[in-house]
């Protein structure tokens, strides 16, 4: 029996051939933890009598979830991370450097074919460049810091083949929201998803990251995007599944007629065509997160907001995914365009995505957000409503004061399914 | 180990944000976590919970983030075991790693306040109130060893490495 991409990567890291369903011990290429998970991981590492980490050059800490610190309790957790990083000689990205997943890819800590574990569920983002990456908790992460290994069950795989071309005003975010709606929040539980097909080939790395990022919103262990068409500035081995590899499910979808998608409160898999939800008033628009806080996303918003002013009843918050993204947006005028339109820039990092600080909404307020989760209370107030959408929808809705279809901004005739 | 307690029953897809909201996760003080457990799902849960009680969920319990604070909050609040029709992957590992027992029963009929007894070794669960008996899905050996050690930290402290 041939192998899926997940089976190939996990076999290589097990030092033997493994297939779906088998338990195996894998050697890990790198680990990452954020300020939500690193302090507990440090504590667990100490409880394990850990002294040196297995390989300091392969451990990354990022202060991004509540950054800069909003109170003394969190400030002291950040301090624990910094002290541990210095003592063990590991890499730490401090306040304002960016979101952990963005930095892992941007700074080159992940390569195609790698096996990476991160103490954050959106670690699956690195599937964008063909790495098998998955989220673990703090104690599992401490175990890897100690041993360089972990145990794992080799997942079964689901193949999703995407054909056709996205219409203007429709992006990778709409595509992945649509798929989350189709498969459901547990539709790929414990499985690895492989995204392939001609619709993937023209996509940028930014867009591929958006797709891989939300694999966890279907419960997937990993979301591997085919590296077909991927350009990284260095050469790498393209992994292909064997022709006779076994897939638990094979799905096909033509993206050509897809319209912008919106996930409505309070679950990411409650997804609607924008035609069904447009007109819902919004009070806050958030552009950012590891799903859609990259340069491509800021460009998308700037194209819609150039020379215009957002609706007076809306506050628009932008948290660039990294300092590098912010710098590029400053240099090419994007940040100025968005600021002139009325948006406010926040520190690069998770920002309002996880409700720890910054941009907490009021009761009964509606938020249009480019992030990945709209669980009740996610942004810090259980009485608010979060709608998830693409950067174009976020920007155009900020302009209109209500959920609005960005295809109208682009003067293209909306095509419906 | 044998556990006995009253059931607190919730539905499908209980996500980690509802188990412990993100804004409370940044602490090493387990009592702070316990104070806000399930707050956005059921604000009265904490006051009704008696130490040793059993939390019962539907399918995909613990979906969402990788925060280990979710099982830690449940454990610190006094939940002795979580029973669900299925668990989200990361939550499942995290709970075992911190020594919170879980039992997966694909089909169960348990109502709030039912008296439940659980035998962890055999995975046998008895709903004493409804006189119904279930057997939970067997965990992989490595997880049983981790749970028996009291969690992954003590497992690795003793064994220094994983064995499957
Ligand atoms: S941006 Fe949001 S989803 Fe992404 S890592 Fe930060 S908190 Fe998590």
């Amino acid at each position: 029996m041939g192998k899926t991409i997940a089976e190939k990567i996990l076999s290589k890291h097990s030092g033997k051939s493994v297939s779906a369903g088998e338990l195996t011990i894998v050697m890990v290429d790198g680990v990452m933890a954020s300020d939500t998970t690193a302090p507990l991981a440090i504590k667990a590492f100490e409880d394990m009598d850990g002294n040196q980490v297995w390989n300091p050059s392969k451990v990354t800490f990022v202060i991004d979830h509540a950054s800069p610190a909003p109170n003394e309790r969190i400030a002291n957790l950040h301090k624990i991370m910094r002290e541990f990083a210095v003592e063990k000689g590991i890499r730490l990205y401090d306040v304002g450097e960016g979101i952990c997943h963005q930095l892992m890819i941007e700074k080159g800590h992940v390569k195609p074919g790698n096996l990476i574990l991160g103490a954050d569920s959106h670690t699956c983002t690195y599937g964008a460049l063909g790495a098998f990456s998955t989220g673990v908790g703090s104690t599992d992460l401490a175990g890897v810091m100690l041993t360089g290994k972990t145990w794992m069950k080799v997942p079964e795989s689901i193949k999703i083949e995407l054909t056709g071309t996205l219409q203007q005003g429709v992006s990778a975010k709409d595509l992945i929201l649509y798929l989350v709606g189709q498969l459901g929040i547990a539709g790929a539980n414990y499985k690895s998803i492989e995204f392939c097909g001609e619709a993937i080939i023209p996509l940028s790395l930014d867009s591929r990251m958006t797709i891989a990022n939300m694999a966890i919103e279907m419960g997937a262990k990993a979301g591997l995007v085919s590296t077909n068409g991927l350009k990284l500035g260095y050469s790498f081995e393209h992994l292909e599944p064997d022709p006779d590899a076994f897939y638990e499910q094979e799905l096909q979808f033509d993206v050509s007629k897809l319209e912008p998608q919106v996930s409505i409160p309070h679950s990411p898999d409650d997804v609607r065509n924008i035609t069904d939800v447009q007109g819902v008033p919004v009070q806050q628009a958030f552009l950012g997160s590891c799903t859609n806080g990259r340069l491509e996303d800021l460009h998308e918003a700037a194209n819609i907001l150039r020379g215009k002013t957002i609706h007076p009843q809306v506050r628009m918050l932008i948290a660039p995914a990294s300092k590098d993204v912010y710098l590029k947006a400053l240099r090419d005028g994007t940040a100025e365009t968005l600021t002139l339109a009325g948006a406010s820039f926040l520190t690069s990092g998770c920002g309002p995505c996880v409700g720890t600080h910054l941009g907490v909404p009021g009761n009964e307020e509606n938020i249009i957000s480019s992030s990945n989760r709209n669980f009740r209370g996610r942004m810090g107030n259980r009485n608010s409503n979060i709608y998830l959408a693409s950067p174009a929808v976020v920007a155009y809705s900020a302009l209109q004061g209500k959920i609005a279809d960005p295809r109208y901004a682009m003067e293209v005739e909306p095509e419906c399914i | 180990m044998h556990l006995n307690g009253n059931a607190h029953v919730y539905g499908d897809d209980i996500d980690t944000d509802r188990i412990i909201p993100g804004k409370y996760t940044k602490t090493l003080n387990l009592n702070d976590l316990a104070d806000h457990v399930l707050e956005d799902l059921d604000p009265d849960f904490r006051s009704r919970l008696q130490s040793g009680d059993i939390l019962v969920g539907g399918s995909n319990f613990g979906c969402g983030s990788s925060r280990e604070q979710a099982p830690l909050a449940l454990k610190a609040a006094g939940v002795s075991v979580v029973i669900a029709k299925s668990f989200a992957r990361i939550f499942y590992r995290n709970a075992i790693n911190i020594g919170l027992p879980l039992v997966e029963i694909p089909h169960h009929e348990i109502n709030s306040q039912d008296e439940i007894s659980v035998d962890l070794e055999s995975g046998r669960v008895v709903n004493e109130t409804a006189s119904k008996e279930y057997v939970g899905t067997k965990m992989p050996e490595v997880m049983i060893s981790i749970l028996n050690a009291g969690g992954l930290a003590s497992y690795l402290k003793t064994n220094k490495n994983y064995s499957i």
Side-chain angles (χ1 to χ4, degrees):
Chain A
M1 176 67 80
K3 290 202 181 323
T4 61
I5 298 178
E7 288 169 331
K8 286 189 178 182
I9 297 176
L10 295 181
S11 292
K12 194 173 135 220
H13 290 84
S14 301
K16 62 174 185 187
S17 166
V18 292
S19 308
E22 271 179 66
L23 290 191
T24 181
I25 291 173
V26 284
M27 307 282 297
V28 176
D29 292 313
V31 290
M32 184 283 298
S34 75
D35 50 335
T36 294
T37 52
L40 272 177
I42 292 168
K43 189 170 169 289
F45 185 78
E46 283 161 1
D47 289 345
M48 289 166 186
D49 279 348
N51 181 17
Q52 290 311 306
V53 302
W54 110 99
N55 185 338
S57 72
K58 294 187 172 183
V59 183
T60 306
F61 280 2
V62 184
I63 296 179
D64 60 349
H65 277 60
S67 150
N71 57 45
E72 61 186 82
R73 177 170 46 86
I74 295 179
N76 287 325
L77 294 175
H78 289 172
K79 199 167 157 233
I80 293 175
M81 285 174 73
R82 292 187 189 106
E83 284 166 2
F84 186 86
V86 170
E87 196 185 304
K88 309 297 180 200
I90 65 174
R91 187 186 303 123
L92 179 137
Y93 292 106
D94 215 311
V95 173
E97 288 298 326
I99 304 170
C100 51
H101 308 305
Q102 180 67 19
L103 293 170
M104 286 296 283
I105 292 189
E106 197 179 276
K107 305 285 188 193
H109 305 318
V110 186
K111 300 270 164 17
N114 276 177
L115 171 60
I116 308 283
L117 298 183
D120 187 278
S121 61
H122 290 101
T123 301
C124 56
T125 308
Y126 323 150
L129 29 80
F132 188 100
S133 55
T134 192
V136 294
S138 297
T139 304
D140 262 330
L141 192 102
V144 187
M145 287 204 292
L146 188 72
T147 64
K149 296 178 207 148
T150 199
W151 71 273
M152 198 181 265
K153 187 168 177 185
V154 182
E156 299 202 300
S157 294
I158 298 176
K159 183 192 246 175
I160 302 182
E161 191 183 346
L162 302 159
T163 59
T165 322
L166 291 168
Q167 54 173 305
Q168 215 196 335
V170 182
S171 65
K173 179 59 165 293
D174 300 298
L175 179 55
I176 191 64
L177 283 176
Y178 175 81
L179 293 171
V180 170
Q182 290 299 302
L183 272 85
I185 198 157
N189 225 347
Y190 293 82
K191 314 257 160 60
S192 167
I193 302 179
E194 291 180 16
F195 303 93
C196 61
E198 60 177 11
I200 298 284
I201 298 171
L203 297 183
S204 64
L205 176 60
D206 284 9
S207 288
R208 289 164 190 254
M209 287 169 76
T210 302
I211 292 175
N213 177 269
M214 289 193 74
I216 183 69
E217 266 61 63
M218 299 173 269
K221 190 167 191 164
L224 293 148
V225 182
S226 158
T227 52
N228 219 334
L230 175 68
K231 293 179 194 69
L232 288 177
Y234 56 85
S235 60
F236 59 92
E237 188 194 352
H238 291 271
L239 284 179
E240 295 281 347
D242 291 329
D244 58 341
F246 174 76
Y247 288 91
E248 194 254 331
Q249 253 187 85
E250 295 191 38
L251 306 169
Q252 259 204 349
F253 178 61
D254 180 355
V255 306
S256 308
K257 295 259 167 73
L258 185 71
E259 63 172 281
Q261 304 288 300
V262 178
S263 160
I264 68 168
H266 296 282
S267 187
D269 66 346
D270 200 350
V271 179
R272 307 294 159 90
N273 286 326
I274 194 155
T275 329
D276 300 330
V277 286
Q278 56 192 1
V280 173
V282 296
Q283 288 78 36
Q284 180 165 307
F286 171 52
L287 179 60
S289 87
C290 53
T291 322
N292 282 116
R294 285 175 277 280
L295 195 62
E296 181 176 286
D297 306 314
L298 270 54
H299 283 165
E300 191 89 25
N303 286 340
I304 289 172
L305 294 174
R306 185 164 293 110
K308 307 211 167 70
T309 311
I310 60 169
H311 193 276
Q313 302 301 325
V314 179
R315 45 201 192 265
M316 182 170 184
L317 307 175
I318 303 178
S322 70
K323 192 173 263 177
D324 192 56
V325 167
Y326 183 44
L327 203 52
K328 285 183 174 141
L330 281 173
R331 287 184 176 142
D332 73 7
T334 303
E336 185 177 349
T337 301
L338 292 166
T339 305
L340 283 173
S344 300
F345 273 82
L346 310 175
T347 310
S348 292
C350 299
C353 175
V354 70
T356 307
H357 67 155
L358 291 176
V360 176
N363 290 354
E364 280 82 52
E365 284 193 327
N366 298 329
I367 304 96
I368 186 86
S369 165
S370 72
S371 71
N372 46 38
R373 287 195 178 134
N374 58 351
F375 297 132
R376 191 184 276 287
R378 172 75 182 183
M379 291 179 87
N381 182 350
R382 73 181 304 274
N383 298 311
S384 62
N385 306 306
I386 309 167
Y387 293 80
L388 305 176
S390 71
V393 171
V394 169
Y396 196 52
S397 303
L399 191 65
Q400 300 285 327
K402 58 189 182 194
I403 297 180
D405 187 339
R407 291 174 299 173
Y408 288 105
M410 295 164 186
E411 286 156 10
V412 292
E413 195 56 34
E415 238 187 287
C416 299
I417 305 179
Chain B
M1 204 198 317
H2 206 81
L3 303 165
N4 260 305
N6 289 331
H8 298 254
V9 183
Y10 298 95
D12 293 341
D13 302 321
I14 302 300
D15 58 78
T16 49
D17 276 275
R18 282 189 286 176
I19 299 171
I20 182 79
K23 61 186 168 193
Y24 302 124
T25 53
K26 286 148 196 87
T27 178
L28 291 173
N29 183 337
L30 301 185
N31 291 328
D32 286 351
L33 294 175
D35 283 345
H36 300 286
V37 69
L38 294 187
E39 180 177 286
D40 281 349
L41 176 68
D42 177 359
D44 300 327
F45 172 75
R46 181 74 176 107
S47 54
R48 279 203 320 273
L49 184 81
Q50 307 269 331
S51 181
D53 278 359
I54 292 171
L55 190 66
V56 180
S59 58
N60 201 28
F61 187 91
C63 63
S65 87
S66 65
R67 63 185 69 147
E68 201 163 284
Q69 288 88 341
L72 278 172
L74 293 169
K75 190 179 175 198
V79 170
S80 63
V81 50
V82 184
I83 298 172
K85 291 180 180 163
S86 64
F87 289 94
R89 187 184 63 81
I90 307 177
F91 180 89
Y92 195 90
R93 272 185 89 118
N94 284 348
I96 302 303
N97 283 345
I98 60 123
L100 172 70
L102 304 178
V103 185
E104 184 188 75
I105 307 173
H107 304 282
H108 67 69
E109 282 170 48
I110 299 174
N111 295 311
S112 276
Q113 294 313 316
D114 283 357
E115 200 192 318
I116 308 293
S117 64
V118 178
D119 181 63
L120 282 180
E121 270 70 47
S122 62
R124 216 172 122 251
V125 172
V126 180
N127 183 340
E128 309 282 359
T129 311
S131 308
K132 285 214 161 84
E133 192 179 312
Y134 308 97
V135 179
T137 314
K138 198 162 164 45
M139 268 185 221
E141 278 309 320
V142 57
M143 286 191 130
I144 296 174
S145 317
I146 291 170
L147 191 58
N148 286 340
L152 183 63
S154 32
Y155 173 92
L156 280 179
K157 190 173 171 172
T158 317
N159 301 318
K160 306 288 173 215
N161 225 323
Y162 299 88
S163 56
I164 50 172

